[in-house]
Amino acid sequence: MPPAPLPPLGQRPEILRMEGVNKTFRGNVVALNGMTLGVGQGDFISLLGPSGCGKSTALRLIAGLMQPTTGRIRWTEAQSQGDLGVVFQEPTLMPWATVAQNVWLPFRLRGESYASVRDRVEEVLKLVGLEKFRAAYPRELSGGMKMRVSIARAMVTRPKLILMDEPFAALDEITRFKLNNDLLEMKAAIGCTVIFVTHSVFESVFLSDRIVVMAARPGRVSAELTVDAPYPRHEDFRTSAEYAARCRAASDALHTAMELAA
Amino acid sequence: MSLTNAEHGPAGASAPVDLEESRRHRRQSVEKIARWTLPAFVLLAMLFLWDRIVVWNEIPHYILPSPGNVWESLTTDWPILFDAALLTGRVTLMALALAVIGGAGLAILFNQSRMIEMSFYPYAVILQVTPVVSIAPLIFIYVSSKTVGMLLCAWIVAFFPVLSSTTLGLNSVDHNLRDLFRIYGASRWQRLWMLQLPSALPYFLGGLKIAGGLSLIGAVVAELVAGTGGVGAGLAFRIQEAGYRLNIARMFAALGLVAMMGVMIFAALSLFSHFMLRKWHESALKRET
Ligand SMILES: Nc1ncnc2c1ncn2[C@@H]1O[C@H](COP(=O)(O)OP(=O)(O)OP(=O)(O)O)[C@@H](O)[C@H]1O
Ligand SMILES: [Mg+2]
C-alpha cells in the first residue's frame, strides 16, 4: 500500500521536538547549545554545517545513544524512540554475515526468524537493487553497494524515522548522485521521515525540503531554509535554475554560520 | 610500455598481456614450486652432509648416529615410539581442549563482569609468567593422578594465549555496530552471541594456534617432571630413557616424532582457522600482489 500523499511543509504533524537541548562533554566542550528543532512527519531535514558543529551529537541524542545535559527531546504518540533506522558514515555491516543476514538484523534482534520476514528482506533488497547479492559477504561488495545494504537494513522495518550521518561522504560523486536519487525514491516508497547530516550544500538542496544550517563553537542552529521544489525530484532538477538559486542561498547561509563561529 | 608490448604481442583471440604482468605471473609460479622444493632440497642436503660427516670422521653411533641409524631405530622401535607418541598426543590434545574451554570461558566471564575480571586477571597473568617447570613438581605432590597432573601442567601453559586473545577480540567490536545494536535494543545476550563472539573469532583462532604449540610443550615438560609409572611412557620419557642408555639414535627418532607432532598440530589448527574464516575474513582472502 503506497503511503498517503504528504501535506505541505508547515502542516505536517510534529513527531518529535528537540527543546533547548544542550550537550556539554567533559572538559567543558559545548557540543550543542540550546538547539530547538521540531520534526514534522514526512520531512526530509538536512543538518548542514562545518565540522565540529555538533551534527553527529544531535543525531546521537535523537537516537538515544546519549542524554542531553539540559533540555529535552519530546517524542509524540505517533513516533516512539524505538522506531527508527540509522545509517552511519561507514556501512557498518557485520563482515561475518551475508547481505541478507545483515538486512535481517533489526528483525532478528526483535526475535523474528528469517523465514517470517523473508519477504520484507527480499522487498527491500530489490528496492536497493541488490537482490542478486543476497548471499554475498560484505568484503565482496563495492563501497557503494555496502552503503546500499546499510540503507536497506535501516529501512527494512519500515521505521517512521531514519537518521543518516554523512552516509555518502566517502563515496565518489557518480555513486553519490545515484544513491541520492535512489534514496529519494525509497523514502517516497516507505513514506518515512529523514534527518540527514551532510557537509555538502548540493546534496542538502537536492535531497531535502528543510535545511537546518548549524554553526560551531558552540554548536547551534544558525538558519533554516526550505526547499519547496516538489518531489519526485529527478536528475534534471540538478541542472535547473531553481536548484542553482537554492544552492547559492544555502551556501550563503553556511558562510554566515561559519563567520559566526570565527 | 604496455602499448608497445601490446603491438608486439601475439595477434588473435588471446588478449595481449603486458610484460610486467607476464613477468609477475612467471615469478608467482616459480615461487609456488620453490616453496616446497627448496626446503626439501635443504633437508636432503643436510641429511647428506650429516651422513658424510659421520662416515668420514668415523664417529661412533653412540655419539652421533648417522641418518640411516636414526631411520633404522624409527622403524625397529616403531611400536614403542608409536605408543609413546599416542600418549603424548592424547595429553596434548586434551590439554588443548581444556585450554580452549577454560581460556575462552574465562574471557567471556571477564568480559561480562568487570569486577570479576579485575579480581582474577592478575592471577591469570601470574600463572602464565611463572615457568611451568617450576610449578610442575609441586603439582605432582598434590595431584595423585599422573594424567590429571600432566593435563594441569599443559593447561597452565596453554590457556593464557586463548584467554588474552579472546578478551582482546571481545573488546574489539566495531563501535558503530555496538551503537547499532544498542539502538535496536539488543539484550546483553544478543550482543554477546551475535556481535562480540563473531568479532572475537579471528582473535580466538590466532590464540588457538599459539596454544596448540604450547600445550605440546606443557605435555612434554610435565612428562619429564612426572616420570613414568602408572600411565605408561610418552615421547619425552622415551627421549630421557634412551639418553640414559646412550641410545642416541632413538633419541633422534623420538625427537623427530615430537617435532612432527608440533608441525601437525600447527598445520591442523591453521587449516581449521582458514576454514572458519575463509568466507568473510580479510586474512583468508587471496589477493594478487
Ligand atoms: N564523546 C565525546 N566526548 C568529548 N567531546 C566530544 C564527543 N563527541 C563529540 N565531541 C565534541 O563535540 C563537538 C561536536 O562534535 P560532533 O561530532 O557532533 O560534530 P560534527 O558536526 O558531527 O562534526 P563532523 O562534521 O566533523 O562529523 C566537537 O567539538 C567534538 O570534539
Ligand atoms: Mg559527525
Side-chain angles (χ1 to χ4, degrees):
Chain A
M1 116 209 114
L6 267 180
L9 273 175
Q11 292 173 30
R12 300 173 187 166
E14 203 165 85
I15 57 170
L16 105 93
R17 183 170 189 80
M18 299 177 78
E19 252 172 19
V21 169
N22 296 294
K23 181 71 192 177
T24 309
F25 288 108
R26 228 181 339 182
N28 271 334
V29 180
V30 182
L32 277 183
N33 186 19
M35 177 161 180
T36 296
L37 178 69
V39 179
Q41 188 163 25
D43 285 356
F44 197 125
I45 299 180
S46 284
L47 299 183
L48 178 65
S51 190
C53 69
K55 306 181 294 291
S56 298
T57 303
L59 229 52
R60 292 173 67 79
L61 285 166
I62 296 172
L65 288 171
M66 50 195 188
Q67 298 305 315
T69 311
T70 59
R72 57 198 208 112
I73 299 177
R74 275 195 305 140
W75 298 83
T76 58
E77 277 157 38
Q79 173 73 46
S80 67
Q81 188 168 22
D83 184 22
L84 47 80
V86 230
V87 181
F88 298 102
Q89 179 169 349
E90 293 87 37
T92 314
L93 305 176
M94 300 179 289
W96 54 85
T98 62
V99 165
Q101 287 167 340
N102 267 293
V103 174
W104 169 40
L105 180 75
F107 283 125
R108 193 177 174 203
L109 289 173
R110 291 183 194 167
E112 294 185 58
S113 73
Y114 186 74
S116 69
V117 295
R118 173 173 305 149
D119 294 346
R120 298 286 287 276
V121 173
E122 286 294 321
E123 179 192 38
V124 78
L125 280 181
K126 206 165 286 166
L127 208 58
V128 296
L130 286 177
E131 67 270 30
K132 293 223 173 61
F133 291 87
R134 63 174 78 76
Y137 285 85
R139 74 166 184 206
E140 301 162 47
L141 306 179
S142 71
M145 286 154 91
K146 281 185 209 162
M147 198 38 95
R148 285 169 189 274
V149 178
S150 188
I151 294 171
R153 177 181 60 197
M155 292 193 164
V156 72
T157 56
R158 291 177 173 266
K160 294 208 191 68
L161 176 62
I162 293 185
L163 308 176
M164 305 179 107
D165 193 351
E166 301 187 43
F168 309 140
L171 301 177
D172 63 278
E173 198 162 52
I174 298 171
T175 311
R176 177 139 41 117
F177 281 3
K178 178 84 176 77
L179 279 171
N180 281 169
N181 297 340
D182 294 353
L183 176 61
L184 284 184
E185 270 175 38
M186 288 186 270
K187 176 192 180 286
I190 73 169
C192 57
T193 307
V194 179
I195 304 180
F196 187 98
V197 168
T198 180
H199 276 129
S200 161
V201 170
F202 306 108
E203 194 171 55
S204 67
V205 172
F206 183 74
L207 289 173
S208 43
D209 44 17
R210 292 174 63 193
I211 301 175
V212 174
V213 183
M214 295 178 67
R217 273 166 289 270
R220 74 218 112 125
V221 176
S222 111
E224 182 173 334
L225 287 75
T226 56
V227 183
D228 42 18
Y231 295 100
R233 294 177 188 165
H234 298 295
E235 204 52 47
D236 51 3
F237 179 55
R238 283 191 199 283
T239 47
S240 68
E242 185 184 5
Y243 178 73
R246 299 292 182 180
C247 285
R248 193 166 309 123
S251 190
D252 288 345
L254 186 59
H255 277 121
T256 314
M258 286 168 80
E259 269 155 28
L260 227 64
Chain B
M1 178 176 122
S2 66
L3 189 73
T4 51
N5 196 39
E7 280 165 7
H8 296 296
S14 67
V17 176
D18 66 74
L19 202 62
E20 194 189 338
E21 192 60 22
S22 64
R23 243 192 229 139
R24 205 183 62 175
H25 184 74
R26 199 163 45 233
R27 197 174 57 231
Q28 269 176 355
S29 39
V30 166
E31 266 178 20
K32 214 163 151 188
I33 300 168
R35 184 157 298 141
W36 295 102
T37 49
L38 285 185
F41 179 75
V42 168
L43 179 71
L44 285 179
M46 293 292 285
L47 285 177
F48 180 74
L49 206 67
W50 175 3
D51 186 61
R52 287 302 95 195
I53 289 173
V54 170
V55 172
W56 286 335
N57 297 315
E58 291 169 1
I59 302 175
H61 68 85
Y62 51 83
I63 293 180
L64 182 64
S66 72
N69 287 339
V70 173
W71 177 253
E72 207 179 295
S73 161
L74 192 64
T75 47
T76 52
D77 297 342
W78 180 251
I80 301 174
L81 290 176
F82 183 67
D83 278 354
L86 272 189
L87 183 92
T88 305
R90 198 159 53 228
V91 171
T92 303
L93 290 185
M94 277 161 69
L96 181 60
L98 290 178
V100 166
I101 297 169
L106 274 180
I108 291 171
L109 187 71
F110 285 0
N111 184 264
Q112 291 301 299
S113 164
R114 261 322 266 156
M115 294 295 155
I116 295 181
E117 176 176 2
M118 286 192 284
S119 310
F120 292 103
Y121 192 76
Y123 299 103
V125 174
I126 289 172
L127 209 56
Q128 164 67 16
V129 297
T130 313
V132 70
V133 211
S134 55
I135 313 176
L138 262 183
I139 288 178
F140 286 105
I141 290 176
Y142 298 109
V143 179
S144 51
S145 157
K146 279 248 158 79
T147 317
V148 173
M150 290 202 291
L151 276 180
L152 201 58
C153 286
W155 182 81
I156 288 177
V157 197
F159 89 98
F160 192 78
V162 179
L163 169 66
S164 63
S165 56
T166 310
T167 301
L168 181 64
L170 289 171
N171 292 328
S172 309
V173 173
D174 179 280
H175 62 100
N176 280 335
L177 269 176
R178 193 182 277 270
D179 284 348
L180 195 76
F181 269 61
R182 222 177 116 195
I183 288 168
Y184 286 128
S187 67
R188 192 189 178 93
W189 169 247
Q190 283 176 322
R191 197 179 63 208
L192 176 67
W193 183 247
M194 289 158 59
L195 183 59
Q196 289 181 291
L197 287 181
S199 301
L201 186 65
Y203 296 83
F204 163 78
L205 290 170
L208 181 66
K209 265 191 250 179
I210 298 170
L214 286 181
S215 53
L216 180 60
I217 293 175
V220 165
V221 168
E223 237 177 67
L224 289 180
V225 175
T228 180
V231 277
L235 278 177
F237 177 78
R238 288 297 177 206
I239 292 177
Q240 214 172 22
E241 180 200 48
Y244 292 144
R245 296 183 186 171
L246 287 186
N247 188 348
I248 312 296
R250 195 196 278 179
M251 279 180 92
F252 271 103
L255 181 64
L257 279 183
V258 173
M260 197 64 132
M261 272 171 57
V263 170
M264 266 159 51
I265 292 172
F266 185 80
L269 291 177
S270 299
L271 205 68
F272 175 68
S273 168
H274 178 78
F275 180 75
M276 294 295 283
L277 299 180
R278 84 199 141 116
K279 282 212 180 115
W280 62 271
H281 201 254
E282 296 294 339
S283 72
L285 196 65
K286 272 217 183 85
R287 213 183 270 285
E288 310 244 308
T289 40

